[in-house]
Structure formats: C-alpha cells, structure tokens
C-alpha cells in the first residue's frame, strides 16, 4: 500500500513538473523511467490517470520507442551502438567481452537486477566508435581496458555521476570548414539583421540564397517558410529536426554541440519571418548528454535578450524554444512522425497532404527544418543570399556538411561546397583503398569505385550527410545485412509493405549471406524491393530496399561469390539429387521433377 | 456537365466533388479499386497499401490521394496488379490464414481481394507467428491470427461506438492488435454484436459465436460473384451474406 502511494506520488510530481500536459507524454515517460528503471503496467496506469488520458494511449507510446522499457531493466542499462561502422571497429567482440565480464547474456537483465547489456541502432558516434549508451549517456572509443573500468564501476555500484568524465568525452573532429563553420558568427547578428531589414527582406535573401533542406530531401527552404507564413492562422510553430537517425550521420550532433547559438538563432529568425512564437528542438534520445548544456545555452540567450519576450527590446518579437528528447525511433526523423512524437504520441507518419506548413504541430502551420538548414539560414541573414549562392552548383547552392566514417584515416566532419567529387572527399579523409561508399546512409545509395568521379549535389548524388567508407578488405554484404536488420528494427509497422517487407528482405539477405542463397532468391529480393519502393507509406519503407538493390547492381560479385559456392554443393540441387531415383524407377513425368516454386510456396489459401 | 471537375481512371472519365479522394470518386462512379483498410464510412487510413494506383505516373494510395481535375490515374495495369499481389502475399504470410478451415471463407474481403488481384498462393516464407484466440466474450471470438491490422475495428469502436475497445501496440513487425483492458480480454469489455466494430472486419478475425457455417461454403458471397461486382462484405446487409445489420 505504502509502496503504491509512493509510486503515485513520484508520478504525480513528474506529471506536474511537465504541467500535466499530454503532449509531454514521451518526456514524462522518460523521466518516470529514469526514476524507476522500467515502466510496469501499474506505472503506465498511474501515468494515464494523472494525465486523464486513456491507458492504451500511454501503452502505445511505451511500446513504440526502443528506449522505453515495459519489462524490467538493469539499474545500469548498456546499449552498444550496432551500426556497420561500429562493427568495423570490433564492437561485437567488445560486446561479448563485457557480457562475459558482467556474466550476463545479450539483451537480458542480470538476475540481481543490476545490469542489462544490449544493442541499439547507430548512436551517431561513428567517427569515435565503438560507442555505447549507459542509461542513455554516450560512451565513446570503447576498448577492452575502458570496458574493464566500466565493469568495475558497475559491480561497485558507483553512481553514473561519479564515473570518470573521460569515458563520456565526445570529440567534434572538425576536419574541414567552409563558409558555414569557418567564419565567426556574432550572437544576435542574424536577429539584428532580421529586425533592421524586416521579414520580407530576409525572405528575399533566402530566395536568392537558393538554400535547400539539408535533411536530405532538398526541398527549397524559402518556399517552405513562405508557404507557412502565408498559411492562415496566427498560431504557428518552428521545429528543428535534430533526430539525426540516419546511420553514419553525426554532423547535426557537432552543430548542436559547437554551434548551438547559430542553430537557435536560425530558428528564432524563422519564427520572426513566419510569425511563430514557439519553437521545438526534437533532439534524438541518443544525444541526451547534450540536453542540459543546451538548456543552459537557451537560458543564456534569454538573459541576453535573444530569446523569450521582447527580443532585442522589440515588444513585437517574442519567441521561445523548448527541447524534446526522442527515445530511440529512426522513423521520428520523418517530419510528420516527428510531429506526432512532439504531440506525445507514437511516431507513425501522417498521411500527406496536408503538409506541416499548413497542418503541423497540433494541426497548426509549422516549419520543420534540419539543424544545418537553420544554421545556414542564420548565416544568410547576416551575409546575404548572394554570398551563400556564390558557392556550390546551379541546383545546389552553398555548402554541405559530410559526416565521414568507416575505413579512412581522418573520420569526422567535412564542410564542402556542393559539387565536390567523391574522389576528393576520399583523398582528404585519407581513404586510400576504398571499394565503395554508402552515401547518405542506408536510405541513400551504395556506390562502387567506378562512380567515385560523381559529384555530391542534388543534381547527382544527393545526401543528408552520411558518408561511410568500405575498403577492399570489407565484405559489402556485411554492410547490406546490417542495414537490412536496421530497417526491420526501425519500421514503424503501420503499412504492409514496410512492416512485412523489411522482415522478408532481412531473411533473404541472411540466407544469401550465409551461403544458402540461390539465383531465385536474388530475383525475389529485386521483386520485393520494387514493391517496397513503390508501395510504402513513408520514406523509410520506400528506401529500405536500397542497400540490397544497389549492391546487387554495383557489387554483383559479392553475391556471385556466395551463389557459386552453393552451386558446388549438390545438397542444394534437389532435382539433380533426384535424378538417380528417377532413373531407377524409370520415371520422367512432370510429377517426378521438383520445381523451385513448389519448394518455397506453402498451401494455397 | 462541362463545369464538373473530373479525372481519368484507366481512360474513363470520373467526376468528383471537391474534397473527395480518388477512391471515393471511383467508388461513387461504380469503378472498383481494390482496398482493405478503406471503408467509405471511415476516415481513410492508408495502411494496407492494396489500393495503390499511379496518379500522374506517381505511385499513391487511392484512398488517401485527393482527387484533382485533369489527373491521369492508372489502376488495372499489370504492373499494379503485380505489386498488389505482392502486398496480399505479404499479408497472408504475416498472419496465420487457414482458409479451408475458416468460418469466413467465401465471405472474407481479404480472400476476395486476393482472388481479384490474381493471388493464388502465399508465395513468401510463412512467419507462423504465435498469436492467441480470445473466446472470453459470450457472443464473439477474436482470432488474432487473421488480423491484418487495418484498424477498422479500432476506428469503429472509437469513432462510432464510443467504446475505444481496440488498439494497435508495438512497433514494426511486433505491432499487433490489443483489447483495451488490463487483462486484454474481450470478455472484460462492453463489446456487443450490435457494435459497428463487430461489422467492419475485412477478415475472419472478429467472429460471431453460435453461428458457425450458416451458409455452406460454395454458396457464400464471393463464391457467387467477385468482389468488384458485389462490393465489400462490411457494406452488405446480413440478408445478402454481408456483415452489416442496421
Ligand atoms: C525515415 C526518415 C527519417 C528522416 N530523418 C531525418 C533526420 O533525422 N533529420 C532530418 O533533418 N530529416 C530527416 N528526414 C527528412 C524529414 O522528413 C524532413 O524532410 C526534413 O526534416 C526537412 O528539413 P529540411 O528541409 O531542412 O531538410 C527523414 C525522413 C525520413 C523519411
Ligand atoms: S480470414 Fe479470410 S483469408 Fe483469412 S483464413 Fe479466413 S477466410 Fe481465409
Ligand atoms: S481485427 Fe479485423 S478489423 Fe480489426 S484490425 Fe484486425 S483485420 Fe482489421
Ligand atoms: S511502416 Fe513506416 S513506411 Fe511503412
Ligand atoms: S485501402 Fe488504401 S491503403 Fe488500404
């Protein structure tokens, strides 16, 4: 009884701290879990009661996000980042090593409830992996000796706050700066320019700049702002997409870590232009370590008159920013799923149209832009649209931040004018032996060495920023398989071709990868891929088959090698195996032959 | 006549009213586009993807795409039939569908649409998920093995019955239908056979107890005529072999 009233008390406090707002459900569940390590059915009921919403709404959120647990979890919860770049750096060996040190199996909670060790999708530390999260906080550059230290800290039950800081150190690895990162930016200068010249003039500069969305899709940013500005209604919102879930991407992390003022200023400027007073940063759960530092920067900006009421002394300029933390869901990077998540729901993409510019957060007109887009907008307000447009190509103005990782000497962030060749990037990052690049992440494209002359820009190779290098020693199919598993884990489950197709694709690639595939399986993969590309509800499912389709096209030998080995194994040629029996029984009728269809197809419905 | 907006669907002129989707306009004009999660009485959902069409050469779900004047829509092409067939094949392997033993066989929209798009075998590898059957309610059984997660029962119970009995939980391939009670049992809810939610399931997931095999297999709704001619089982009254009772 006492225990249950304590539970109620704890939950009531947290809910009240969040103003009792159902839109903050995800944040509430995160905080409750921080206190209780997991979300029991009773806990979820209480949360629903305190918020006066239906219990199934709370459960559907709790069941959706990877970082929310509805089964008991250890007091120390360790999740190894399991992107292909972590694997290249030996994360699997380290994972097994830690599990054996702690005497716990992967994905399970130790009997004493002290620790759980599992895996998670890319945590955005590809240039300093292998990485992991402990209770959501980033651990970098793992190696056996660091893991020894971690195992001791856990066994000694040392609170996380007392762990050595160096375990959590995140480097920026800024390798090449151009106009965005290279020039000093004085805080407030974009807002001063905005006030002095007025919203129309700022929009004109945006139009001149030719800035396109840096999240990957490349939608014209000026057009987006104008459409939202012209949308009816006087309550509007600005949303900064800092979900950065695309494996291999970490440039938004560096922007938020080292250039947060620039990003916040771009958001505030956008608020001024479209007439919004409220902004959100949707920060991926993996970047939790930045939450408090970012809140401190927001506070400093308020005190400096750059945020909040009467910005720069102008009574008509009010804008504030709130940070929402995600909880492990790649699909929430999709702008309409992100908005659902901001509203406290599970992250299923909405039907579009209508688009967020007219029906976004709480159905109000909303601009959703990538972190880098807001940073560029702030610079454009100060330096002018022509200045920005002087870099880049005809259709892709300005610069692009690339997150370079994988097999190279100098992984990190490279800012280039659009139009740079893949070849140049490889040279600069010290990748001497590349056989292929996964461009723009698993959702993007895999290219082989014949295509390294191609240019990075919307006219040729578009990218959100992920650039993963595979050298000659690598097996391309290791990457393809890793990506196929990623998409199974991240599908939201709403639409049929993605929910089911990602699993079917994973099974096929697993089969081929382990040497059991046939040419028929490759055809199946192509067919399945086409259905997913054509039929899925959102970009996640539509792009999920890309790694398979691209690698079949660009690296056919990686598949051939495996099929050939199976061709030599008579066990896989059942018809040949039956030949002897046919001769013995003297049969040659169709019934004496197996066809492949019969082997794979079950009973008729 | 000349002032009315219209689009072309496989060469045929389809008039529409502002605000209608391609699907709504086509149905009203008597042209069938296969569908499962769409039901004209509910807000479109866009999840099954069976209604894929090409609108001005772009793949879109007919049930969620607003009709616009001058659009060119393709539906009955071999390319689309193949994609639709693939999607149906996915639904059949995702759950456990044992048609010959199913009480809904012959009056099942899923089965009828499968036949319509030319799907004769499940094709992909079966998942054989372990899903329960819930017979806790005195009048109805829920067999989760046959659920395709169209969320029609969810929408009907929430938006029409005002009971909010069903929901989908989980992510990705783990997503599944649940009954909104702590026990998860239908018997613990106020579900009734008169609910709209009892009439909308396009598969054999929500079944009426004590009424098995009233109409012999072979003489059921879709045994006689294909779905593009008779329409959805949820839209037809009891007396015609449908599920609807007003
Ligand atoms: C599955 C999926 C994941 C996405 N993830 C991100 C992301 O992490 N960050 C991002 O800025 N855009 C992401 N996007 C693109 C967004 O939907 C949206 O286009 C973008 O935030 C718009 O900002 P921009 O115009 O400044 O690029 C994603 C899209 C999809 C389909
Ligand atoms: S629900 Fe329909 S398709 Fe499924 S088994 Fe029953 S009759 Fe067959
Ligand atoms: S039970 Fe029927 S109506 Fe409900 S989601 Fe499943 S298939 Fe759709
Ligand atoms: S489940 Fe997300 S695209 Fe289909
Ligand atoms: S009927 Fe259109 S997506 Fe299901």
């Amino acid at each position: 009884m006492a225990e249950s009233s304590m539970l109620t008390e704890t939950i009531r406090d947290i809910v009240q701290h969040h103003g009792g707002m159902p839109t903050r459900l995800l944040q509430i569940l995160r905080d409750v879990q921080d206190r209780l390590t997991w979300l029991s059915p009773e806990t979820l009921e209480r949360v629903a009661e305190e918020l006066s919403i239906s219990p199934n709404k709370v459960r559907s959120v709790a069941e959706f996000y990877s970082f929310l647990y509805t089964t008991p979890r250890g007091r120390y919860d360790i999740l190894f980042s399991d992107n292909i770049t972590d694997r290249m750096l030996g994360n699997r060996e380290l994972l097994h090593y830690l599990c054996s040190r702690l005497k716990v199996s992967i994905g399970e909670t130790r009997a004493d409830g002290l620790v759980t060790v599992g895996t998670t999708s890319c945590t955005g530390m590809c240039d300093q992996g292998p990485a992991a999260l402990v209770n959501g906080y980033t651990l970098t550059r793992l190696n056996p000796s660091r893991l020894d230290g971690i195992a001791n800290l856990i066994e000694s039950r040392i609170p996380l706050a007392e762990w050595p800081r160096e375990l959590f150190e995140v480097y920026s690895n800024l390798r090449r700066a151009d106009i965005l990162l290279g020039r000093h930016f004085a805080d407030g200068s974009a807002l001063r320019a905005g006030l002095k010249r007025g919203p129309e003039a700022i929009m004109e500069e945006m139009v001149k700049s030719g800035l396109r969305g840096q999240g990957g899709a490349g939608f014209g940013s000026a057009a987006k702002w104008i459409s939202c500005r012209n949308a009816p209604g006087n309550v509007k919102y600005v949303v900064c997409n800092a979900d950065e879930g695309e494996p291999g991407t970490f440039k938004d992390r560096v922007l938020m870590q080292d250039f947060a003022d620039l990003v916040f200023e771009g958001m505030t400027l956008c608020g001024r232009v479209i007439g919004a007073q409220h902004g959100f940063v949707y920060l991926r759960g993996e970047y939790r370590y930045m939450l408090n530092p970012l809140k401190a920067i927001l506070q400093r900006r308020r005190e400096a008159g750059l945020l909040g009421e009467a910005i720069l002394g102008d009574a008509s300029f009010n804008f504030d920013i709130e940070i929402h933390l995600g909880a492990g869901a790649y699909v929430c990077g999709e702008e309409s799923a992100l908005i659902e998540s901001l509203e406290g729901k599970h992250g299923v993409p909405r039907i579009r149209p209508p688009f967020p510019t007219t029906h976004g957060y709480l159905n109000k007109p909303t601009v959703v832009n990538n972190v880098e887009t807001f940073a560029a907008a702030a610079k454009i307000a100060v330096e002018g649209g022509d200045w920005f447009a002087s870099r880049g190509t005809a259709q892709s103005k300005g610069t692009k931040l690339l997150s370079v990782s994988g097999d190279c000497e100098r992984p990190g962030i490279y800012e280039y004018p659009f139009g740079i060749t893949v070849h140049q990037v490889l040279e600069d990052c010290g990748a001497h032996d590349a056989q292929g690049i996964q461009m723009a992440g698993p959702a993007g494209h895999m290219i082989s060495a014949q295509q390294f002359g191609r240019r990075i820009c919307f006219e040729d190779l578009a990218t959100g920023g992920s650039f993963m290098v595979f050298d000659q020693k690598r097996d391309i199919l290791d990457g393809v398989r890793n990506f196929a598993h990623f998409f199974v884990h991240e599908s939201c489950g709403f639409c049929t071709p993605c929910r089911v197709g990602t699993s079917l694709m994973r099974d096929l690639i697993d089969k081929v990868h382990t040497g059991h595939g046939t040419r028929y399986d490759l055809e199946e993969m192509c067919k399945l891929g086409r259905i997913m590309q054509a039929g899925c509800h959102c970009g996640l499912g539509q792009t999920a088959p890309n790694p398979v389709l691209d690698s079949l096209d660009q690296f056919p030998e990686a598949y051939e090698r495996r099929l050939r080995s199976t061709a030599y194994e008579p066990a896989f040629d059942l018809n040949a195996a039956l030949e002897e029996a046919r001769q013995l029984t003297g049969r040659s009728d169709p019934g004496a032959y197996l066809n492949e269809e019969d082997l794979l197809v079950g009973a008729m419905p | 006549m000349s002032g009315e907006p219209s689009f072309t669907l496989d060469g045929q002129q389809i008039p529409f009213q502002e605000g209608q989707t391609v699907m709504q306009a086509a149905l009203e004009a008597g042209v069938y586009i296969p569908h499962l999660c769409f039901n004209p009485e509910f807000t479109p959902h866009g999840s099954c993807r069976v209604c894929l069409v090409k609108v001005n050469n772009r793949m879109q779900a007919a049930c969620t795409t607003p009709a616009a004047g001058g659009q060119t829509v393709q539906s009955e092409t071999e390319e689309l039939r193949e994609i639709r067939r693939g999607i149906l094949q996915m639904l059949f392997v995702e759950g456990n569908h044992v048609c010959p033993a199913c009480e809904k066989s012959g009056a099942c929209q899923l089965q009828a649409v499968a036949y319509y798009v030319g799907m004769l075998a499940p094709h992909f590898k079966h998942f054989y998920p372990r899903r329960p059957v819930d017979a806790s309610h005195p009048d109805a059984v829920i067999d989760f093995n046959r659920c395709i997660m169209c969320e029609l029962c969810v929408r009907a119970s929430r938006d029409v019955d005002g009971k909010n009995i069903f929901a989908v939980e989980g992510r990705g391939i783990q997503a599944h239908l649940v009954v909104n009670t702590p026990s998860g049992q239908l018997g613990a809810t106020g579900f009734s056979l008169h609910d709209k939610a009892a009439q909308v399931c396009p598969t054999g997931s929500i079944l009426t107890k004590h009424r098995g095999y009233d109409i012999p297999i072979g003489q059921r709704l879709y045994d006689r005529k294909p779905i593009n001619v008779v329409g959805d089982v949820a839209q037809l009254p009891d007396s015609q072999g449908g599920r609807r009772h007003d």
Side-chain angles (χ1 to χ4, degrees):
Chain A
M1 202 54 223
E3 210 170 279
S4 114
S5 73
M6 237 169 67
L7 177 70
T8 309
E9 202 89 330
T10 306
I11 290 171
R12 187 164 296 157
D13 280 355
I14 292 171
V15 168
Q16 272 166 12
H17 172 77
H18 288 281
M21 284 154 65
T23 49
R24 300 206 43 101
L25 178 57
L26 178 56
Q27 310 303 304
I28 291 168
L29 291 178
R30 290 201 61 123
D31 288 355
V32 170
Q33 181 171 286
D34 271 351
R35 292 280 283 280
L36 307 170
T37 73
W38 70 290
L39 303 168
S40 69
E42 197 193 351
T43 301
L44 296 177
E45 290 275 333
R46 282 296 125 73
V47 172
E49 263 165 44
E50 291 300 323
L51 284 169
S52 309
I53 58 178
S54 116
N56 76 281
K57 279 208 172 121
V58 178
R59 272 203 315 274
S60 84
V61 170
E63 296 280 354
F64 188 84
Y65 295 92
S66 306
F67 296 162
L68 296 181
Y69 304 125
T70 53
T71 50
R73 224 42 207 188
R75 268 170 50 207
Y76 296 92
D77 173 40
I78 301 213
L79 294 171
F80 277 75
S81 177
D82 203 16
N83 185 28
I84 188 67
T85 50
D86 296 287
R87 292 203 170 198
M88 288 175 176
L89 295 164
N91 77 328
R92 299 305 292 192
E93 291 76 9
L94 294 173
L95 168 65
H96 292 297
Y97 179 70
L98 185 66
C99 284
S100 71
R101 284 259 352 206
L102 292 168
K103 303 197 172 47
V104 61
S105 7
I106 300 174
E108 267 162 37
T109 299
R110 210 167 77 173
D112 63 358
L114 185 67
V115 61
T116 313
V117 181
T119 60
T120 186
S121 301
C122 177
T123 56
M125 299 290 153
C126 326
D127 58 337
Q128 45 204 302
L133 300 171
V134 55
N135 295 356
Y137 292 94
T138 298
L139 297 164
T140 52
R141 297 179 305 281
L142 295 175
N143 56 34
S145 85
R146 273 162 99 87
L147 289 180
D148 287 339
I150 289 167
N152 289 336
L153 290 163
I154 291 174
E155 295 291 12
S156 326
R157 294 161 167 74
I158 307 288
L160 219 53
E162 291 165 31
W163 287 25
R165 290 296 90 195
E166 75 204 15
L167 288 172
F168 301 98
E169 211 172 7
V170 176
Y171 297 153
S172 293
N173 287 333
L174 248 179
R175 309 281 184 182
R176 188 185 195 281
D178 205 286
I179 54 176
L180 189 64
L181 306 183
R183 260 188 40 187
H184 174 71
F185 177 82
D187 290 350
S189 55
L191 300 182
R192 281 193 191 88
L195 275 186
K196 191 162 141 233
R197 306 194 49 205
E200 280 83 7
I202 295 296
M203 277 192 310
E204 234 167 75
E205 294 303 330
M206 288 280 286
V207 171
K208 270 198 245 167
S209 75
L211 175 65
R212 295 173 68 167
Q214 299 278 30
F219 191 81
S221 306
K224 190 182 269 185
W225 289 23
I226 291 168
S227 151
C228 190
R229 178 181 157 91
N230 293 339
N234 43 25
V235 177
K236 299 182 181 176
Y237 295 94
V238 175
V239 175
C240 174
N241 188 343
D243 196 50
E244 192 158 66
E246 193 65 46
T249 318
F250 46 89
K251 49 109 185 162
D252 293 340
R253 185 242 299 159
V254 173
L255 282 172
M256 294 310 288
Q257 193 165 295
D258 293 355
F259 301 86
D261 275 296
L262 191 60
V263 178
F264 292 149
E265 193 134 336
M267 292 177 68
T268 311
L269 182 78
C270 177
R272 180 69 177 175
V273 169
I274 68 168
Q277 306 206 342
H278 203 97
F280 294 101
V281 174
Y282 190 94
L283 187 68
R284 71 184 306 218
E286 289 81 348
Y287 296 165
R288 169 183 198 169
Y289 74 95
M290 277 196 261
L291 182 62
N292 286 332
L294 288 174
K295 280 183 174 167
I297 294 176
L298 289 174
Q299 190 50 34
R300 169 168 58 62
R301 290 183 68 83
R302 280 181 204 111
E303 284 154 17
L306 300 175
L307 199 66
E309 311 248 299
I311 291 173
L312 292 172
D314 184 329
S316 73
F317 193 177
N318 304 306
F319 187 81
D320 214 326
I321 296 175
E322 199 179 304
I323 303 174
H324 265 243
L325 205 53
Y330 166 65
V331 70
C332 287
E334 193 283 336
E335 58 185 13
S336 66
L338 183 151
I339 290 171
E340 290 283 298
S341 184
L342 272 182
E343 291 180 359
K345 304 181 203 154
H346 65 325
V348 171
R350 292 179 178 173
I351 294 168
R352 303 179 320 154
F355 294 96
T357 46
T358 58
H359 297 75
Y361 182 67
L362 301 177
N363 267 331
K364 304 291 185 208
T366 304
V367 161
V368 182
N369 272 135
N370 175 255
V371 173
E372 190 181 349
T373 311
F374 282 120
K379 282 271 179 157
I380 289 165
V382 178
E383 313 263 1
D386 289 331
W387 165 84
F388 187 80
S390 68
R391 311 291 272 171
T393 67
Q395 305 294 318
S396 321
K397 301 298 187 196
T399 62
K400 179 76 212 134
L401 299 190
L402 296 181
S403 316
V404 178
S405 67
D407 295 312
C408 64
E409 285 161 8
R410 292 175 293 280
I413 299 298
Y414 292 75
E415 183 189 2
Y416 287 106
F418 272 112
I420 188 81
T421 61
V422 172
H423 198 78
Q424 186 66 51
V425 179
L426 289 172
E427 199 173 303
D428 292 350
C429 72
H432 308 299
D433 193 27
Q435 68 165 315
I437 307 295
Q438 185 68 40
M439 192 69 191
H445 289 290
M446 190 174 254
I447 60 168
S448 62
Q450 290 102 301
Q451 305 204 20
F452 288 172
R454 290 180 68 181
R455 294 179 315 147
I456 297 172
C457 52
F458 294 107
E459 297 95 311
D460 191 354
L461 281 172
T463 181
S466 173
F467 188 103
M468 293 185 275
V469 184
F470 291 74
D471 75 13
Q472 300 290 348
K473 296 188 301 292
R474 304 291 176 188
D475 182 344
I476 288 291
L477 289 204
D478 288 347
V480 177
R481 189 175 178 184
N482 178 259
F483 300 150
H485 284 250
F486 165 77
F487 285 117
V488 173
H489 187 253
E490 299 300 341
S491 167
C492 75
F494 174 73
C495 75
T496 314
C498 174
R499 185 180 68 239
V500 187
T502 49
S503 287
L504 290 170
M505 193 64 107
R506 174 204 53 201
D507 292 348
L508 284 165
I509 191 78
D510 283 357
K511 186 178 174 196
V512 173
H513 190 258
T514 50
H516 299 294
T518 62
R519 199 158 295 280
Y520 175 81
D521 293 312
L522 304 190
E523 280 159 27
E524 280 290 282
M525 286 156 81
C526 288
K527 186 181 148 199
L528 189 59
R530 281 196 302 271
I531 295 172
M532 292 168 73
Q533 285 181 329
C536 284
H537 170 61
C538 83
L540 189 154
Q542 289 159 5
T543 57
N546 287 0
V548 168
L549 298 177
D550 287 344
S551 56
L552 278 166
D553 177 54
Q554 299 273 307
F555 299 93
E557 65 287 352
Y559 289 87
E560 294 291 338
R561 205 164 43 231
R562 287 189 160 75
L563 299 186
R564 222 176 291 128
S565 79
T566 65
Y568 287 116
E569 284 176 55
F572 287 94
D573 191 347
L574 281 169
N575 267 324
L578 284 174
E579 182 55 29
E580 201 183 351
R582 278 192 294 264
Q583 287 188 355
L584 283 172
T585 54
R587 280 182 64 177
S588 59
D589 57 289
Y593 289 86
L594 284 170
N595 76 46
E596 217 142 43
E597 289 277 323
D598 292 334
L599 294 175
L600 286 142
V601 165
M604 283 230 328
Chain B
M1 176 69 208
S2 62
E4 201 176 27
S6 69
F7 61 89
T8 50
L9 174 56
D10 292 332
Q12 184 181 339
Q13 216 57 34
I14 309 283
F16 69 91
Q17 286 141 35
E18 212 46 58
Q20 276 189 320
T21 60
V22 168
M23 176 73 80
Q24 284 161 342
L27 278 188
E28 229 168 79
V31 181
Y32 180 74
I33 299 175
H35 54 268
L36 286 168
C37 70
F38 173 78
N39 173 318
E41 297 171 72
F42 296 92
T43 329
H45 198 238
S47 63
C48 75
R49 314 305 289 173
V50 168
C51 69
L52 278 180
V53 291
K54 259 189 172 174
V55 181
N56 296 338
N57 248 338
R58 275 192 58 192
M59 290 286 183
Q60 312 245 237
C63 69
T64 59
T65 304
Q71 266 167 347
T72 307
V73 181
Q74 291 167 284
S75 175
E76 294 298 330
T77 64
E78 191 41 48
E79 182 192 15
L80 284 163
R81 267 171 73 84
E82 193 184 328
I83 291 174
R84 290 171 183 161
R85 209 181 299 138
I87 292 172
L88 262 301
Q89 285 164 334
M90 289 183 192
L91 287 173
F92 272 88
V93 298
E94 183 190 22
N96 298 307
H97 298 272
V98 197
C99 290
C102 179
E103 135 71 19
K104 265 278 159 305
S105 190
C108 165
Q109 193 180 337
L110 176 65
Q111 191 187 43
V113 172
Y115 280 128
Y116 178 79
V117 300
M119 184 201 127
L120 299 173
H123 186 84
F124 297 117
K125 200 182 85 185
H126 280 271
F127 290 17
Y128 297 123
R130 277 165 176 272
R131 296 192 194 161
V133 175
D134 175 353
S136 60
H137 193 277
D139 307 320
V141 180
I142 290 203
D143 186 343
F144 292 98
N145 289 290
R146 298 164 186 158
C147 174
I148 57 167
M149 276 184 303
C150 68
E151 293 189 41
L152 272 166
C153 59
V154 177
R155 288 177 271 167
S157 182
R158 185 189 57 210
D159 305 340
V160 179
D161 306 327
K163 295 186 182 176
N164 196 24
I165 288 174
F166 303 100
V168 164
E169 261 175 31
R171 178 166 106 189
I173 195 67
Q174 313 290 345
H176 60 285
L177 187 73
V178 295
V179 173
N180 277 332
T181 51
S183 65
Q185 299 278 292
L186 190 64
T189 70
F191 183 78
S192 136
L193 288 182
H194 302 288
D195 287 357
K196 190 70 183 169
Q199 304 166 41
V200 293
C201 182
T203 77
S205 302
I206 304 180
L207 294 170
T208 307
K209 276 189 181 171
H210 325 296
R211 247 195 68 174
Y213 303 92
D214 271 6
I215 308 172
I217 292 186
Q219 293 168 37
R220 294 182 176 180
L221 187 61
Y222 301 122
D223 294 333
R224 287 170 279 148
K225 285 191 183 120
I227 189 161
N228 60 320
V229 177
V230 272
D232 300 347
V233 58
Q235 294 299 306
L236 294 163
D238 263 346
S239 55
Q240 291 174 34
R243 307 196 71 179
R244 190 189 180 111
H245 34 99
D246 296 298

